Amino acid sequence: QVQLVESGGGLVQPGGSLRLSCAASGSILTINLMGWYRQAPGKQREFVAIILGSGSANYADSVKGRFTISRDNAKNTVYLQMDNLKPEDTAVYYCNALIVASTTKKVSQYWGQGTQVTVSS
């Protein structure tokens, strides 16, 4: 069994910062990539950022230059540093990972439960 547990969401004023964390646990053999998606009310879930084990990262155009994704491979944890937050960043943020479980030896996609980020004055 593999789990992703997020933390770090909350309420912040425009221009402020938040740092999200997502820790993977369970029967993990390898984590191929980790990333973040978000879903605003009434909208589809959208890509935010991903990072490979090598450290190579990609970002959605809407967050480039404001968000930074990083990863601690020893802790199976991915972070999302969000700076200069805007009201349009308000959403539930979901952690995502492609993980090879030690029990199945197959790669599967896993999702966290989501953490609310609200940007409002």
Side-chain angles (χ1 to χ4, degrees):
Q1 189 78 7
V2 174
Q3 280 189 317
L4 300 180
V5 178
E6 300 124 332
S7 60
L11 173 64
V12 64
Q13 291 186 342
S17 298
L18 279 176
R19 189 192 195 209
L20 305 182
S21 300
C22 171
S25 62
S27 304
I28 297 170
L29 187 61
T30 306
I31 301 179
N32 291 349
L33 65 84
M34 302 186 82
W36 294 92
Y37 288 72
R38 67 186 182 186
Q39 188 167 18
K43 294 186 177 181
Q44 289 189 333
R45 191 173 297 188
E46 64 176 7
F47 165 76
V48 175
I50 58 169
I51 186 167
L52 302 180
S54 62
S56 175
N58 281 306
Y59 299 89
D61 288 343
S62 59
V63 306
K64 278 182 183 176
R66 300 188 297 120
F67 291 11
T68 303
I69 190 170
S70 60
R71 177 172 169 172
D72 186 333
N73 292 329
K75 296 181 179 180
N76 289 338
T77 299
V78 63
Y79 306 96
L80 187 67
Q81 177 67 40
M82 304 184 293
D83 299 318
N84 190 22
L85 282 160
K86 304 176 181 180
E88 51 263 42
D89 294 318
T90 295
V92 177
Y93 283 71
Y94 295 91
C95 178
N96 173 265
L98 292 181
I99 295 174
V100 179
S102 56
T103 51
T104 64
K105 304 297 191 295
K106 294 181 179 180
V107 61
S108 298
Q109 182 172 234
Y110 295 88
W111 291 93
Q113 81 284 357
T115 185
Q116 178 69 47
V117 171
T118 302
V119 185
S120 175
S121 55

